Structures are given as structure tokens and as C-alpha cells.
Amino acid sequence: MEEMEVLLMKEMKICLPVYKIIYSICFIVFLSLVRGISSIAEIGITMDAYIAVLAIVFCADTYWMEHSGKRWEVFCLYSVKKKKQTILKRLVVQWIFLWGLALIGYGLFFWQAPHNLNTIPSMLLFAVYVPEVLVTISFWSTFAMTVTNLLRNIWGGIGLSIILWLSLNSVTGESVLGKFNVFSFVFRDTQNINNMEWLWGKGIALGLTVLMAALISAIIKKRG
């Protein structure tokens, strides 16, 4: 048990360096200060879209951080299975951290004193936001990491991920994909809580996340 705790602390130290923690906290705080909202329903929409950008930047180097940390020679000695386990552990640690920030960020918007413009209780809006934002974080972080590994270039991975983000989080993305858009939660009808079509988009995002995670071993074998 003690050995597992030591290993977990080691992984946390690797994938959650101080500079990442600082800039991610600053991002969440500044977002609540500069992004104006008028209703409580807008909080989840805003956070869902922008936490995706943070997840992209934060997790793109999940595999290639070994290069910057000068641990690549040791990491290369791991078996493919152990490499995959290590990567997944780091992803989960980062997901939990970003999820916590996303929940805190939701609360920070209340300094603007938003109104609840519909009949849906504010606590219910938050209860829906809690699991769906975790799907958003897991999809975009895994996608950015996957593209980075395929290109073997962190900035290329971040760049292509941002291009996809801009394409999907747009009027065109909404009109073309509709309820199948991974940002379906952002484009949903906030006045109609009975309309759950946005779950299609989140279901697709979750399925793609599982698929990308399953392909980690194959990518490692191909790209090294």
C-alpha cells in the first residue's frame, strides 16, 4: 500500500508540475472574470467549451513529457504494457485535477450574480454539469495526447486539436453535426430540461475516448 502511494505521488509530481498548476488556476480565475454571463444556465455552457481548451494544452504532452524530463532512456526500457499503464495513470490524474478545477470554476462565476431565468433549479443544472464536463475533459485531453503522439510534436498536437475545437464549437459545427456534436451540451436548449438529445454528442465523445485509450498500445509500437 505504501509503495503504491509512493508511485502515485511520483506520477503526480511528473504530470502535475507547479507551472501547470499555476497557469491552469489562472486560466479558470481569469475566465470567470472576463467572460460575462447573465444566467446560471450559461455557466455550464461557458465552462464546457473553455475547459476543453485547457484540457488540450494541459494534457497534450502526457506521453512526450518524458523527453523534457530527461527520463526518456528509462521510459524506453518499459514494456509496451507498462508504458500504456503509466500513460493511463497520468491521464486519470490530470483528469481528476482538471475536473476539480472545472467544478471550482463553475462556482467562481457566481460573483457575477447570474439569474436563474428558467424554472430549472440551479442545483439540477450543476448536477447535470458535473458528469458531462468530465466527459469533455477526458475526450479533449485524450485526443490532444493521441495527435501529439502520432505527429511526435506537441505543438502540432495542440494546433490540430485547437483547429478541431474551433470547427466543432461553431455555428457550422452545430448545423452540420447537431445532436451528434461533442459540444452538444453547449448548443442544447437550456429552457427545455426534458430535451436530452445532447446526450448523443456526449456519448460519442465518451466512446471515442475509450477507443483512443484502447489504441495507445498500437500507437506506442508504431511511433516508439
Side-chain angles (χ1 to χ4, degrees):
M1 188 68 177
E2 185 177 347
E3 183 179 354
M4 290 183 63
E5 291 179 357
V6 172
L7 291 174
L8 180 60
M9 291 300 296
K10 179 181 178 182
E11 293 300 334
M12 290 179 64
K13 185 177 180 180
I14 292 174
C15 61
L16 295 178
V18 175
Y19 78 92
K20 275 192 171 185
I21 294 175
I22 292 175
Y23 79 63
S24 58
I25 292 176
C26 289
F27 178 89
I28 294 297
V29 173
F30 289 153
L31 180 62
S32 68
L33 294 175
V34 303
R35 178 62 166 83
I37 60 168
S38 59
S39 69
I40 295 176
E42 292 180 55
I43 301 177
I45 293 174
T46 301
M47 286 299 303
D48 190 66
Y50 288 100
I51 199 68
V53 177
L54 180 59
I56 289 171
V57 176
F58 199 90
C59 300
D61 66 342
T62 299
Y63 183 56
W64 289 95
M65 61 177 59
E66 296 295 334
H67 284 285
S68 60
K70 298 180 180 180
R71 297 177 296 271
W72 188 249
E73 293 80 4
V74 176
F75 192 73
C76 283
L77 298 177
Y78 291 173
S79 65
V80 172
K81 181 179 179 180
K82 187 173 182 180
K83 286 180 181 178
K84 180 179 179 179
Q85 291 175 342
T86 300
I87 292 171
L88 289 176
K89 286 178 184 177
R90 292 176 182 176
L91 269 179
V92 171
V93 169
Q94 292 175 108
W95 290 350
I96 293 173
F97 175 75
L98 291 174
W99 193 28
L101 276 184
L103 300 185
I104 293 172
Y106 190 99
L108 291 178
F109 275 94
F110 280 90
W111 77 267
Q112 298 185 33
H115 302 289
N116 193 352
L117 302 179
N118 51 39
T119 58
I120 304 172
S122 57
M123 285 305 298
L124 181 56
L125 290 173
F126 180 70
V128 172
Y129 166 80
V130 171
E132 76 78 22
V133 77
L134 179 58
V135 175
T136 296
I137 291 169
S138 60
F139 170 74
W140 285 102
S141 59
T142 307
F143 180 81
M145 183 198 71
T146 301
V147 176
T148 294
N149 293 347
L150 288 173
L151 297 179
R152 306 183 80 172
N153 185 286
I154 294 174
W155 294 111
I158 292 175
L160 286 180
S161 298
I162 293 296
I163 290 174
L164 179 64
W165 181 89
L166 290 170
S167 300
L168 296 179
N169 187 31
S170 66
V171 175
T172 301
E174 179 187 9
S175 61
V176 172
L177 296 177
K179 63 183 180 181
F180 302 111
N181 192 327
V182 297
F183 282 121
S184 56
F185 181 80
V186 174
F187 299 123
R188 79 193 193 285
D189 180 6
T190 57
Q191 301 295 323
N192 184 9
I193 193 172
N194 294 318
N195 185 350
M196 303 296 287
E197 288 189 342
W198 59 270
L199 287 173
W200 281 98
K202 288 303 172 181
I204 289 173
L206 183 59
L208 290 174
T209 301
V210 173
L211 177 60
M212 288 185 288
L215 291 175
I216 289 177
S217 296
I219 295 173
I220 290 174
K221 291 179 181 178
K222 184 176 180 60
R223 305 304 289 173

